Amino acid sequence: MKCTRCHARAEVHIRHHNSAFCRGCYGTYFQRQVERAIHKEHMFTPDEDVLVAVSGGKDSLALWDALVTMGYRTTGLHLALGIGDYSAISTRKTEHFARERGLRLLTVPLEDETPGLGIMRVAGATNRKACAACGTVKRHYFDRIAAEQGFQVVATGHNLDDEAARLLGNVLHWQSDHLAKQSPVLVPTHEKFARKVKPFFRISEYETAVYAFFRGIDYVLDECPNSAGATQLVYKDVLNRLEAAMPGTKLTFVQEFLRTGRPAFAGEASSPPQTCESCGMPSYNGTCGFCRLVAEVTRRRNPLPHAGPA
């Protein structure tokens, strides 16, 4: 098989684009896909500073690498989640990536955040699912640090597989409010919200893995131990079977939803958020979900003394 661009020997075959590439041309193809998404969806411009959320996995590190290579102004944000060896390795690889390339990285060790917000300790203290607690904590810190540091854009490494699986889940349960908000760009609805963008939303997990391999990116190979049995993985497995039989299914599913399906749910969007009475960040109730979580952790760890008889 020959490279679609230069006709040298191809090393990778992209079935849903019916194309093949040598190593050199693949980088060009990949970065053009990212640039097309950024430009077409009006995600950000070269004049804006972008905060890139980096976990240490292939998607987020590949995103940071691609944006830097394309000349965008970036800073990395890594949350050390406190999930045992998995988090320790993730932090080490993220810091190595930044140090090797001379990039600015902000690292937040959640165990050091009052009252101690490592995900496993939070889940243990509140009996919440670790993934639910993790999502609440991540969203809060992404927004808070972007606001504190003056970033108007937060970029994440969500890829086509993530977006297709999320869309399938939302459709299967007809979560119309979630369908209304599913987009590669979330426009801020509060002064302390940053613009959330997903430059990889048209790029498959396979394409990202190939890019990371060709670029020599050292990333965490293991999945988060808390993801075992996650519903999202079931949706991905179903979509992978469809993709194997009908290449292009995932891309068509997501693209056509954004083009023709999503507008039908525009009226389902929830009201704009208010301001949290406790931390001043956006909230859909008087107190935001993060502050309620922190209060619950504090209360469970420091229960009020039992009032004995006078």
Side-chain angles (χ1 to χ4, degrees), residues 36-112:
R36 178 183 174 189
I38 293 170
H39 180 73
K40 187 177 179 182
E41 300 296 333
H42 307 288
M43 292 184 178
F44 48 85
T45 71
D47 297 327
E48 291 183 289
D49 292 311
V50 181
L51 187 63
V52 185
V54 280
S55 66
K58 66 180 182 310
D59 299 307
S60 58
L61 290 181
L63 174 62
W64 200 7
D65 180 272
L67 295 182
V68 170
T69 303
M70 294 157 60
Y72 287 103
R73 301 189 331 216
T74 64
T75 294
L77 170 60
H78 175 72
L79 303 182
L81 298 174
I83 308 176
D85 291 343
Y86 172 78
S87 288
I89 296 170
S90 300
T91 300
R92 191 161 62 243
K93 288 186 181 290
T94 302
E95 291 178 342
H96 175 74
F97 178 94
R99 188 167 54 250
E100 195 173 51
R101 292 161 177 78
L103 302 174
R104 183 187 180 214
L105 173 67
L106 308 173
T107 299
V108 180
L110 294 180
E111 292 282 7
D112 296 345

Side-chain angles (χ1 to χ4, degrees), residues 273-289:
Q274 306 302 308
T275 298
C276 175
E277 298 167 353
S278 179
C279 70
M281 293 301 293
S283 174
Y284 292 94
N285 294 297
T287 304
C288 72

Side-chain angles (χ1 to χ4, degrees), residues 130-149:
C131 292
C134 189
T136 299
V137 172
K138 279 182 177 178
R139 286 190 291 273
H140 173 82
Y141 278 94
F142 289 170
D143 285 320
R144 196 181 93 184
I145 291 174
E148 289 175 351
Q149 300 277 335

Side-chain angles (χ1 to χ4, degrees), residues 303-309:
L304 293 173
H306 178 70

Side-chain angles (χ1 to χ4, degrees), residues 115 122-123 125-128 289-303:
V122 168
T126 62
N127 295 324
R128 297 190 189 198
F290 174 78
C291 287
R292 293 199 302 273
L293 177 68
V294 170
E296 186 177 351
V297 172
T298 304
R299 187 170 61 251
R300 296 289 184 96
R301 289 182 185 162
N302 304 293

Side-chain angles (χ1 to χ4, degrees), residues 46-279:
D47 297 327
E48 291 183 289
D49 292 311
V50 181
L51 187 63
V52 185
V54 280
S55 66
K58 66 180 182 310
D59 299 307
S60 58
L61 290 181
L63 174 62
W64 200 7
D65 180 272
L67 295 182
V68 170
T69 303
M70 294 157 60
Y72 287 103
R73 301 189 331 216
T74 64
T75 294
L77 170 60
H78 175 72
L79 303 182
L81 298 174
I83 308 176
D85 291 343
Y86 172 78
S87 288
I89 296 170
S90 300
T91 300
R92 191 161 62 243
K93 288 186 181 290
T94 302
E95 291 178 342
H96 175 74
F97 178 94
R99 188 167 54 250
E100 195 173 51
R101 292 161 177 78
L103 302 174
R104 183 187 180 214
L105 173 67
L106 308 173
T107 299
V108 180
L110 294 180
E111 292 282 7
D112 296 345
E113 295 291 296
T114 305
L117 293 176
I119 297 304
M120 300 313 296
R121 294 182 64 190
V122 168
T126 62
N127 295 324
R128 297 190 189 198
K129 289 185 177 180
C131 292
C134 189
T136 299
V137 172
K138 279 182 177 178
R139 286 190 291 273
H140 173 82
Y141 278 94
F142 289 170
D143 285 320
R144 196 181 93 184
I145 291 174
E148 289 175 351
Q149 300 277 335
F151 290 94
Q152 294 183 329
V153 183
V154 175
T156 60
H158 292 94
N159 58 41
L160 175 62
D161 294 59
D162 298 323
E163 291 304 292
R166 183 183 172 204
L167 177 57
L168 179 59
N170 288 339
V171 168
L172 288 175
H173 296 91
W174 287 118
Q175 292 176 300
S176 55
D177 55 334
H178 292 185
L179 288 166
K181 292 189 290 187
Q182 181 159 355
S183 170
V185 181
L186 279 183
V187 177
T189 53
H190 187 281
E191 62 180 0
K192 290 191 175 179
F193 268 154
R195 191 183 326 134
K196 311 282 179 40
V197 300
K198 303 171 183 175
F200 281 0
F201 82 101
R202 297 181 74 255
I203 298 176
S204 70
E205 189 171 335
Y206 170 72
E207 292 171 280
T208 306
V210 172
Y211 179 81
F213 176 73
F214 283 172
R215 293 285 293 173
I217 296 172
D218 182 21
Y219 60 85
V220 182
L221 293 172
D222 295 333
E223 296 286 342
C224 175
N226 294 324
S227 68
T231 306
Q232 195 84 345
L233 297 182
V234 177
Y235 297 150
K236 285 188 175 182
D237 181 54
V238 171
L239 288 162
N240 284 339
R241 295 185 199 183
L242 291 170
E243 184 74 21
M246 297 175 286
T249 295
K250 293 178 194 175
L251 186 58
T252 301
F253 184 41
V254 171
Q255 284 195 153
E256 287 307 304
F257 164 72
L258 294 173
R259 190 175 71 87
T260 63
R262 184 171 176 266
F265 296 93
E268 301 292 336
S270 55
S271 301
Q274 306 302 308
T275 298
C276 175
E277 298 167 353
S278 179
C279 70

